[in-house]
């Protein structure tokens, strides 16, 4: 994984973390519609899972080179 790939992974990871943090805020649950909260939660979990798979596959690729 090169530097640019790592840098580009930080953007959706930050967005997913913000979405996850917002969905856990009790005040946001009162202000944001329920469907929007569900969409944000799905986005956060989906991003975490996709980036997790990407990191695992890059790790396997790196370890196979050793």
């Amino acid at each position: 994984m090169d530097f640019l790939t790592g840098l580009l992974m930080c953007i959706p990871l930050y967005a997913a973390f913000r979405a996850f943090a917002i969905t856990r805020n009790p005040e946001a649950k009162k202000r944001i519609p329920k469907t929007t909260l569900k969409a944000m939660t799905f986005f956060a979990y989906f991003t975490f899972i996709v980036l997790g798979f990407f990191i695992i596959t890059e790790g396997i690729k790196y370890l196979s080179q050793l």
Side-chain angles (χ1 to χ4, degrees):
M1 176 170 50
D2 58 347
F3 178 73
L4 183 62
T5 306
L7 190 63
L8 289 175
M9 282 175 51
C10 291
I11 296 169
L13 189 61
Y14 174 74
F17 178 73
R18 289 288 299 160
F20 183 75
I22 288 172
T23 58
R24 296 296 170 245
N25 185 358
E27 289 296 320
K29 290 182 180 180
K30 296 176 186 172
R31 289 183 283 129
I32 300 174
K34 192 173 185 176
T35 54
T36 305
L37 281 175
K38 286 183 180 181
M40 290 174 68
T41 305
F42 173 77
F43 168 74
Y45 287 137
F46 180 75
T47 305
F48 288 146
I49 290 169
V50 168
L51 290 179
F53 281 138
F54 182 74
I55 290 169
I56 289 170
T57 56
E58 286 292 322
I60 291 171
K61 195 183 326 179
Y62 174 75
L63 290 175
S64 67
Q65 293 175 355
L66 296 178

